[in-house]
């Protein structure tokens, strides 16, 4: 029997992508200057309601650049969400600082602000939060703590394009924020990223360091006073992003509709107490970057469920691995207990997601998960 294959993500390029890309090619503007870079930076700033967007080559370097611009350096400490991809912790290590991990809230899966203050020391320079899976963090509480302790805030909004709290977009609360435009993101250029900020000086530093520390307004004399990076985005990538940004509301609506159908399927099922989903923060508007689901009240192994799904063509991924256990950490804390992030990793997954999934596709995926789970559960119950 052959099955339709459902990869975890397929980008949707259904607008002016080809037109703008061909224009960039036809006019020979293929490098990091050009009208699409300028347009995207202006239009994204306008979309977010922020002063500066600085395009870069991906979200990981955007995090590094943000830390460099803030002057975070060796032996500083940066408070960071423990339920996180490797990107933020890597960037903190790039500058020689130490990541100090904070557990998530059980219901929202996002960083728990009530646990931050006890981890602040004289070495703490910044708080780096992640709006995980498109769900906005409790930014009011986080900004209050940062202000009290005079700390900088970096928002990792890689997964949360368009999410907001009280109408203010994620990425505009902190001192400096980042976005990723990787192929699975809500708007994409295949690879790409941006740093955004309201601070003129931080923006200038980002422009300086991302362009190998060439003098911003000085002569091109090949004399460099600082060590810089080539983190530039090309006009070709920006051409794709200009087209994507024109349709961002459509992409968000489609993803949110899809996730609502997915979630409601399980919440109205007889098995509803075996599944859970992240709870939104008060006054937040969230964007369903991926269709996430977590098992509850069962010892069924999420990887057994994922394996069975893969056999019928449904791709999936585990949720993020708890950061404090990552082996690359020089000063990790593998013995510290982070039971919520560990549970998210052991019981959570995301399944095929994206604006091009139709209602019938998500219904098929939901039904298959429910059926496969029931079979594994029956088998488990029989053997226990
Ligand atoms: C939360 C988060 N931060 C940062 C990144 C890094 O972005 P990139 O893949 O563009 O380097 C990603 C993902 O890709 C992410 O999910």
């Amino acid at each position: 029997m052959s099955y339709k294959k459902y990869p975890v993500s397929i980008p949707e390029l259904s607008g002016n992508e080809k037109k703008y890309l061909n224009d960039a090619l036809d006019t020979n503007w293929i490098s990091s200057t050009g009208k699409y870079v300028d347009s995207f930076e202006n239009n994204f700033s306008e979309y977010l309601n922020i002063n500066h967007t600085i395009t870069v080559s991906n979200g990981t370097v955007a995090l590094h650049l943000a830390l460099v611009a803030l002057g975070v350096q060796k032996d500083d400490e940066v408070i960071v969400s423990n339920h996180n991809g490797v990107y933020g912790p890597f960037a903190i290590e790039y500058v020689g600082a130490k990541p100090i991990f904070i557990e998530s809230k059980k219901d929202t899966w996002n960083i728990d602000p009530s646990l931050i203050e006890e981890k602040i020391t004289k070495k703490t320079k910044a708080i780096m939060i992640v709006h995980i899976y498109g769900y906005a963090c409790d930014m009011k509480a986080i900004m209050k703590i940062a202000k009290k302790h005079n700390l900088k805030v970096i928002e990792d909004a890689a997964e949360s394009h368009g999410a907001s709290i009280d109408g203010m977009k994620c990425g505009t609360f902190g001192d400096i924020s980042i976005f990723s435009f990787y192929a699975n993101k809500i708007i994409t250029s295949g690879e790409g990223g941006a740093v955004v900020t309201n601070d003129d000086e931080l923006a200038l530093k980002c422009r300086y360091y991302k362009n190998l520390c060439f003098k911003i307004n000085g002569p091109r004399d090949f004399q460099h006073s600082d060590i810089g990076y080539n983190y530039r985005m090309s006009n070709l990538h920006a051409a794709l992003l200009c087209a994507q940004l024109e349709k961002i509301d459509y992409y968000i609506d489609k993803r949110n509709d899809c996730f609502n159908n997915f979630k409601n399927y399980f919440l109205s099922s007889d098995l509803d107490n075996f599944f859970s989903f992240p709870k939104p923060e008060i006054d937040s508007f969230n964007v369903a970057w991926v269709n996430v689901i977590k098992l509850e009240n069962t010892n069924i192994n999420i990887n057994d469920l994922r394996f069975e799904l893969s056999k019928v063509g449904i791709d999936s991924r585990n949720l993020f691995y708890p950061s404090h256990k990552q082996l690359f950490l020089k000063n990790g804390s593998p013995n510290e207990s982070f039971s919520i992030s560990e549970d998210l990793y052991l019981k959570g997954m995301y399944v095929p997601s994206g604006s091009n999934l139709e209602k019938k596709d998500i219904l098929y995926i939901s039904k298959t998960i429910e059926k496969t789970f029931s079979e594994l559960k029956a088998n488990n119950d029989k053997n226990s």
Side-chain angles (χ1 to χ4, degrees):
M1 191 156 170
S2 74
Y3 298 94
K4 179 172 174 186
K5 284 257 178 249
Y6 286 103
V8 272
S9 166
I10 303 177
E12 183 177 340
L13 305 163
S14 54
N16 284 320
E17 286 81 2
K18 266 195 190 145
K19 183 175 159 199
Y20 296 164
L21 195 54
N22 280 335
D23 178 54
L25 291 169
D26 290 344
T27 53
N28 262 338
W29 289 98
I30 61 168
S31 184
S32 57
T33 39
K35 70 177 182 191
Y36 292 109
V37 174
D38 294 343
S39 286
F40 180 71
E41 292 188 346
N42 290 332
N43 296 346
F44 200 54
S45 294
E46 197 177 312
Y47 174 74
L48 294 175
N49 193 17
I50 202 158
N51 290 344
H52 304 278
T53 295
I54 301 102
T55 49
V56 291
S57 35
N58 59 65
T60 308
V61 302
L63 285 163
H64 181 212
L65 195 63
L67 289 168
V68 169
L70 288 174
V72 176
Q73 53 193 344
K74 193 169 178 314
D75 298 331
D76 288 342
E77 290 179 357
V78 179
I79 296 224
V80 60
S81 313
N82 193 51
H83 182 56
N84 199 341
V86 77
Y87 329 96
F90 266 3
I92 296 167
E93 294 279 339
Y94 295 161
V95 295
K98 183 180 177 193
I100 305 292
F101 298 111
I102 306 288
E103 181 61 293
S104 294
K105 288 202 269 188
K106 193 168 168 30
D107 55 355
T108 69
W109 306 4
N110 262 320
I111 190 167
D112 185 343
S114 74
L115 302 175
I116 293 179
E117 279 193 285
E118 66 200 53
K119 296 235 177 153
I120 295 175
T121 70
K122 285 199 179 86
K123 293 182 172 180
T124 312
K125 287 286 155 26
I127 302 173
M128 179 189 278
I129 60 89
V130 188
H131 302 290
I132 206 79
Y133 310 129
Y135 279 75
C137 290
D138 182 355
M139 287 315 296
K140 286 179 202 157
I142 291 159
M143 294 312 294
K144 206 165 150 192
I145 296 166
K147 200 167 170 205
K148 181 172 161 198
H149 296 272
N150 196 20
L151 299 175
K152 300 292 181 193
V153 172
I154 305 155
E155 285 175 77
D156 180 343
E159 303 171 352
S160 58
H161 311 175
S164 61
I165 302 169
D166 264 342
M168 190 163 154
K169 295 241 163 52
C170 289
T172 65
F173 289 86
D175 296 274
I176 193 162
S177 306
I178 76 94
F179 290 83
S180 162
F181 304 118
Y182 178 63
N184 64 6
K185 297 301 186 289
I186 293 176
I187 61 165
T188 180
S189 45
E191 298 284 354
V195 180
V196 304
T197 180
N198 274 319
D199 184 313
D200 297 348
E201 203 179 313
L202 287 177
L204 207 62
K205 279 190 184 161
C206 287
R207 294 207 178 279
Y208 176 63
Y209 283 103
K210 90 163 206 187
N211 190 23
L212 300 159
C213 293
F214 275 104
K215 296 182 189 78
I216 294 270
N217 289 318
R220 281 255 162 171
D221 57 7
F222 295 105
Q223 297 181 40
H224 300 250
S225 311
D226 298 288
I227 295 173
Y229 311 93
N230 179 352
Y231 286 170
R232 300 179 301 240
M233 173 184 280
S234 81
N235 197 45
L236 300 174
H237 289 85
L240 294 175
L241 280 177
C242 284
Q244 290 269 298
L245 187 58
E246 289 170 352
K247 291 187 68 172
I248 191 166
D249 292 337
Y250 164 80
Y251 291 138
I252 291 171
D253 285 351
K254 283 282 308 250
R255 284 191 193 239
N256 280 353
D257 271 0
C258 185
F259 185 59
N260 284 336
N261 287 327
F262 178 64
K263 193 165 120 175
N264 290 337
Y265 182 90
F266 291 96
L267 295 182
S268 55
S269 140
D270 291 344
L271 298 172
D272 65 329
N273 64 326
F274 293 106
F275 301 100
S276 74
F277 303 90
K279 184 175 164 229
E281 279 298 340
I282 295 167
D283 298 328
S284 65
F285 169 75
N286 300 290
V287 292
W289 170 52
V290 282
N291 296 316
V292 285
I293 186 163
K294 179 171 171 275
L295 299 181
E296 300 290 347
N297 307 312
T298 175
N299 56 5
I300 286 171
N301 188 323
I302 194 78
N303 288 328
D304 290 343
L305 178 58
R306 293 186 52 233
F307 179 65
E308 293 303 321
L309 293 175
S310 73
K311 290 205 274 191
V312 291
I314 298 175
D315 206 0
S316 65
R317 296 282 183 279
N318 292 104
L319 297 189
F320 287 129
Y321 188 67
S323 298
H324 72 291
K325 284 181 141 178
Q326 293 282 11
L327 293 179
F328 70 83
L329 289 168
K330 290 188 204 90
N331 301 298
S333 41
N335 299 324
E336 213 178 324
S337 169
F338 286 90
S339 58
I340 297 169
S341 354
E342 293 193 25
D343 199 47
L344 283 165
Y345 179 70
L346 292 175
K347 308 251 180 68
M349 65 173 175
Y350 66 88
V351 295
S353 309
S355 49
N356 42 20
L357 274 183
E358 297 303 333
K359 204 169 175 182
K360 66 174 173 25
D361 298 319
I362 205 67
L363 186 66
Y364 168 76
I365 291 166
S366 310
K367 274 188 177 166
T368 312
I369 294 173
E370 187 190 39
K371 178 170 166 283
T372 314
F373 174 82
S374 302
E375 287 164 4
L376 287 170
K377 186 173 171 306
N379 210 22
N380 241 24
D381 292 348
K382 202 169 73 194
N383 294 334
S384 63

